[in-house]
Amino acid sequence: MRILVVEDEAVLSRALRRGLQAEGFAVDVAADGETGLEAALEGDHDVVVLDLMLPGRSGLEVLREMRRAEIWTPVLVLSAKDSDDDVTRGLDVGADDYLAKPFAFSVLVARLRALLRRGAPPRPAVLEAGRLTLDPATREVRQDGALVELTTRETALLEHLMRRPGEVLTKVELRDHVWDAAGDDLNVVEVYVGYLRRKLGKGVIETVRGAGYRVVGR
Ligand code: CA
């Protein structure tokens, strides 16, 4: 298994190389965004560990360019920046996992092994379901090609449904993935499904009685 580590802090980078090699990985290291992107675009790594704050191109730019080039190597984003915004943006542009510094090396290795087990299924950059498209990078939702204005939360809910078109998702699952602090209140899911139906029309999200909701796939 070959890992690419893109990290500009020399001490951390050296420690990661040594530690990961000791775990049996082949390790390539890049110390700036440009070099990291070039290496990642070769596409022959099994997983990429990517710092966000890098000289040259930022980690987010590297990730965006990788996904634009349809390189689906799993990426674990590593950064001292741990605000929700950065996490969300990292995940939006196609990161597979996120670890805030400082972290325990054993945790990093466990996360990497989990990513490696999952592998890199080819994913569409833009989600499609029926007449709808949703671009996770730009947060743009279109219906029959026309832009639909949705709030951040509405987009998050729709995205979660569109990631599994045709599949029934329970209210509990939707609440737990789209709302962090909603407690036990499942009504919030119903309310937001209502908002989406108002903006997208009634045929897009189906209620499956006693089970949950699904987005009509094709
Ligand atoms: Ca850095």
Side-chain angles (χ1 to χ4, degrees):
M1 291 290 180
R2 177 166 288 273
I3 297 187
L4 172 64
V5 174
V6 188
E7 167 63 67
D8 59 315
E9 289 165 46
V11 174
L12 178 57
S13 176
R14 265 200 305 276
L16 287 177
R17 183 204 285 267
R18 224 177 297 133
L20 291 169
Q21 282 173 342
E23 292 287 328
F25 296 106
V27 184
D28 293 326
V29 171
D32 63 78
E34 201 65 50
T35 316
L37 179 60
E38 270 171 38
L41 288 181
E42 286 166 16
D44 59 359
H45 297 96
D46 298 291
V47 67
V48 177
V49 177
L50 179 63
D51 188 29
L52 281 189
M53 298 279 278
L54 291 167
R57 285 164 179 267
S58 74
L60 284 180
E61 282 173 43
V62 171
L63 187 50
R64 197 173 289 124
E65 288 304 317
M66 281 175 66
R67 297 316 190 214
R68 215 172 263 163
E70 306 200 335
I71 299 291
W72 305 115
T73 314
V75 171
L76 185 145
V77 162
L78 200 64
S79 181
K81 298 173 77 181
D82 60 353
S83 80
D84 286 348
D85 261 10
D86 292 314
V87 178
T88 309
R89 281 171 59 213
L91 297 175
D92 280 350
V93 297
D96 300 272
D97 201 357
Y98 185 95
L99 202 53
K101 295 176 191 171
F103 54 88
F105 183 73
S106 58
V107 173
L108 174 68
V109 171
R111 300 276 195 93
L112 290 176
R113 292 205 191 282
L115 285 180
L116 287 166
R117 273 197 300 276
R118 255 195 272 158
R123 291 169 285 183
V126 175
L127 303 174
E128 290 186 35
R131 299 152 54 209
L132 282 181
T133 59
L134 188 156
D135 185 336
T138 60
R139 319 302 292 160
E140 275 182 8
V141 175
R142 290 176 184 272
Q143 190 166 35
D144 296 327
L147 205 56
V148 184
E149 292 286 341
L150 298 180
T151 65
T152 306
R153 193 70 78 179
E154 289 163 357
T155 307
L157 175 59
L158 184 63
E159 179 180 353
H160 201 74
L161 287 160
M162 284 180 70
R163 283 199 179 275
R164 278 172 291 169
E167 203 174 303
V168 180
L169 301 177
T170 66
K171 285 184 199 173
V172 173
E173 162 155 16
L174 290 168
R175 181 203 58 196
D176 290 351
H177 283 88
V178 180
W179 284 267
D180 294 327
D184 291 319
D185 187 5
L186 289 173
N187 289 335
V188 71
V189 180
E190 278 170 53
V191 169
Y192 272 81
V193 166
Y195 293 159
L196 284 175
R197 282 178 173 152
R198 220 170 296 163
K199 292 183 178 177
L200 302 171
K202 287 205 157 60
V204 173
I205 300 171
E206 274 180 6
T207 303
V208 180
R209 199 187 294 255
Y213 300 102
R214 74 173 157 221
V215 85
V216 179
R218 285 157 244 281

